[in-house]
Amino acid sequence: MSPSSSLLSVVYSEPPALDLMNTRIFLDGEWVDILDDRDVRSEWLTHEVGRLDVEAKDASRFGTGAAEALKGLRGTVADAVEAARHGKRPSQRSLTALNDAVRASPPARRVHWEGADLVSTSRREGPQEVRLAASFAEAAIELLTGPDITKVRECEAPACFVRFLARNPRRRWCTPDICGNRARVARYYVRHKDD
């Protein structure tokens, strides 16, 4: 089963740490892992690396090694975010795993001449899967230690487990056009069931 393009847009519309958590979704009664499908994974990672400090020379080469590294990190990020968003201390195991992932490929500043200016960029070294995991772990640390962690919500639609950043405190669904419509239809059905 493949996610629809509108649902897939949810998976890359939040901060990178939440996007990583949302790569495993419940769709039409079954769990779907976006990281398992090579084409969908490449599309998702192409979008994400533009927001992280990882170079994406050829997104189609994000292979199973990258997928497995991110799957391992996804559970760690989810554990830490779930605890922190409720004001609880994340497990030491999760915190250690995040720190270890960042330490495996720390960003290094590089300077180069571009046109008429000196430009500084950050670049990670090491195998692709290590660089990706380090970048997502750093994004998770930024979310966990920032003020937005208390704004992370779980979609209120039945059977939806997507996490999102509720910039508007009244936001209840990951997507108004999918989960919001489902909830409105369900309420309508309940109100008119005996008509």
Side-chain angles (χ1 to χ4, degrees), residues 36 44 47 70-71 123 165 177:
D36 286 340
W44 177 75
H47 173 79
L70 292 178
K71 284 181 187 181
R123 184 161 187 247
L165 186 60
D177 58 332

Side-chain angles (χ1 to χ4, degrees), residues 56-72:
K57 293 180 179 167
D58 183 5
S60 65
R61 293 185 357 198
F62 288 119
T64 56
E68 294 308 312
L70 292 178
K71 284 181 187 181

Side-chain angles (χ1 to χ4, degrees), residues 42 48 135-136:
S42 291
E48 292 298 328
S135 293
F136 276 102

Side-chain angles (χ1 to χ4, degrees), residues 9-194:
S9 69
V10 171
V11 179
Y12 48 69
S13 62
E14 297 298 330
L18 295 180
D19 283 355
L20 178 61
M21 289 173 58
N22 293 334
T23 56
R24 189 164 184 267
I25 56 178
F26 196 71
L27 184 61
D28 295 331
E30 66 181 82
W31 285 99
V32 176
D33 195 329
I34 287 170
L35 297 175
D36 286 340
D37 183 294
R38 184 177 50 92
D39 294 334
V40 176
R41 177 178 64 236
S42 291
E43 178 185 340
W44 177 75
L45 280 169
T46 298
H47 173 79
E48 292 298 328
V49 296
R51 304 186 309 156
L52 300 168
D53 61 350
V54 177
E55 291 183 23
K57 293 180 179 167
D58 183 5
S60 65
R61 293 185 357 198
F62 288 119
T64 56
E68 294 308 312
L70 292 178
K71 284 181 187 181
L73 184 62
R74 176 176 58 199
T76 297
V77 171
D79 289 344
V81 167
E82 280 306 299
R85 79 183 187 98
H86 293 294
K88 297 179 182 171
R89 182 181 189 266
S91 72
Q92 188 58 47
R93 183 185 60 73
S94 294
L95 298 178
T96 299
L98 288 171
N99 289 330
D100 289 348
V102 171
R103 192 174 19 255
S105 181
R109 303 292 294 167
R110 306 276 198 279
V111 65
H112 63 277
W113 187 257
E114 190 173 289
D117 298 309
L118 281 173
V119 177
S120 171
T121 57
S122 178
R123 184 161 187 247
R124 294 181 185 275
E125 298 295 327
Q128 178 188 64
E129 57 271 10
V130 174
R131 293 190 323 263
L132 279 170
S135 293
F136 276 102
E138 189 167 314
I141 290 169
E142 288 175 15
L143 177 64
L144 289 165
T145 59
D148 286 341
I149 190 62
T150 59
K151 297 176 185 173
V152 174
R153 305 275 189 275
E154 181 177 336
C155 183
E156 291 183 16
C160 184
F161 302 95
V162 169
R163 301 298 190 275
F164 60 88
L165 186 60
R167 290 174 181 90
N168 177 335
R170 295 179 55 196
R171 183 176 173 194
R172 300 172 52 203
W173 305 293
C174 60
T175 56
D177 58 332
I178 298 173
C179 286
N181 281 346
R182 286 181 186 158
R184 286 186 282 278
V185 167
R187 282 195 311 265
Y188 178 86
Y189 176 76
V190 167
R191 281 195 312 263
H192 295 90
K193 178 170 82 171
D194 298 326

